[in-house]
């Protein structure tokens, strides 16, 4: 059994895990709000200048940026390159306003410190649960579930047919081997219920 000193870092690690998840949620909400804000600021005026086809492409671009933000998480920081490239392309093609693009790039930069924290957390004992109870249960169970029967190298010819009947004396569920208890008598219902 581990001592309490081995669990002392768990509260700090739990707080860090929650903050990383919260930052990711805030980043997604922020991207969604900024992209919706970009529609009346930048994309709607494009309809008068370039026509409806250009607006359709700009809306598809907006959806693509948001989808790329879904994958830009601290677990996979390399995917942050995709929304960053899309944002720079949006600035060049005038599909996104510069202040909105700048705020979105800053929110992407937020992934870097979260990635460093997550990398440190992965090196700590107890990752990802950081729960004393979970660790104690795993110690009691050992390595995890170990099946009683192994069917790795058994062929169909060696396995007993499931539909094959067993003799009554071998079958534990046969009626001959099971004694039924006596059923108690139930008193009749009084007449005042009728």
């Amino acid at each position: 059994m581990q001592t309490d000193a081995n669990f002392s870092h768990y509260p700090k690690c739990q707080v860090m895990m929650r903050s990383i998840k919260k930052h990711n949620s805030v980043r997604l909400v922020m991207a969604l709000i900024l992209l919706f804000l970009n529609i009346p600021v930048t994309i709607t005026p494009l309809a008068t200048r370039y026509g409806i086809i250009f607006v359709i492409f700009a809306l598809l671009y907006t959806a693509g940026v948001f989808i790329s933000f879904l994958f830009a998480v601290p677990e996979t920081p390399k995917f942050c390159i995709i929304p960053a490239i899309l944002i720079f392309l949006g600035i060049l093609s005038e599909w996104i306003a510069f202040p909105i693009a700048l705020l979105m790039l800053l929110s992407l930069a937020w992934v870097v410190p979260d990635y460093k924290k997550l990398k440190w957390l992965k090196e700590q004992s107890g990752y990802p649960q950081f729960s004393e109870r979970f660790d104690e249960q795993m110690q009691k169970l050992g390595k995890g579930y170990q099946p009683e029967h192994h069917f790795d190298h058994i062929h169909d010819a060696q396995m007993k047919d499931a539909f094959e009947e067993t003799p009554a004396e071998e079958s534990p569920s046969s009626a001959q081997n099971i004694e039924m208890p006596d059923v108690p008598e139930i008193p009749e219902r009084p007449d005042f219920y009728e």
Side-chain angles (χ1 to χ4, degrees):
M1 187 72 52
Q2 292 183 349
T3 62
D4 290 337
N6 293 338
F7 299 131
S8 63
H9 66 287
Y10 281 13
K12 178 183 177 183
C13 293
Q14 288 172 348
V15 169
M16 287 176 72
M17 288 288 286
R18 282 193 297 270
S19 73
I20 290 170
K21 289 178 183 178
K22 183 180 177 183
H23 292 168
N24 193 43
S25 299
V26 168
R27 189 172 29 259
L28 285 175
V29 170
M30 186 175 165
L32 186 64
I33 291 170
L34 289 171
L35 288 171
F36 271 118
L37 184 64
N38 187 55
I39 292 172
V41 170
T42 306
I43 296 176
T44 306
L46 293 176
T48 57
R49 281 192 285 169
Y50 300 109
I52 194 71
I53 301 294
F54 194 76
V55 172
I56 291 173
F57 283 117
L59 290 173
L60 289 173
Y61 159 79
T62 302
V65 170
F66 181 71
I67 290 170
S68 68
F69 259 81
L70 291 174
F71 296 103
V73 293
E75 290 85 4
T76 55
K78 292 180 183 178
F79 284 117
C80 292
I81 295 170
I82 296 170
I85 291 172
L86 288 175
I87 291 169
F88 282 120
L89 290 175
I91 292 170
L92 295 175
S93 61
E94 298 179 354
W95 287 348
I96 191 166
F98 183 76
I100 292 173
L102 186 62
L103 288 172
M104 291 183 76
L105 288 172
L106 288 175
S107 72
L108 274 177
W110 202 357
V111 172
V112 175
D114 283 346
Y115 168 71
K116 290 178 181 178
K117 288 178 187 176
L118 187 63
K119 187 177 177 184
W120 180 82
L121 284 169
K122 286 181 179 180
E123 296 170 355
Q124 304 308 309
S125 63
Y127 176 82
Q129 287 82 16
F130 296 112
S131 169
E132 294 175 32
R133 183 174 179 194
F134 180 80
D135 289 347
E136 289 171 1
Q137 288 176 348
M138 288 306 291
Q139 285 179 356
K140 288 178 185 176
L141 293 175
K143 294 181 181 179
Y145 174 73
Q146 298 293 327
E148 292 180 20
H149 307 286
H150 298 282
F151 296 108
D152 296 341
H153 303 291
I154 297 177
H155 299 287
D156 290 335
Q158 294 173 334
M159 294 187 67
K160 195 173 190 177
D161 188 8
F163 299 109
E164 193 176 284
E165 292 186 28
T166 58
E169 53 272 353
E170 293 178 15
S171 176
S173 63
S174 68
Q176 296 173 354
N177 294 339
I178 298 176
E179 293 183 23
M180 297 292 290
D182 293 335
V183 178
E185 288 187 30
I186 301 173
E188 289 188 30
R189 192 169 69 156
D191 291 336
F192 62 88
Y193 285 118
E194 294 178 2

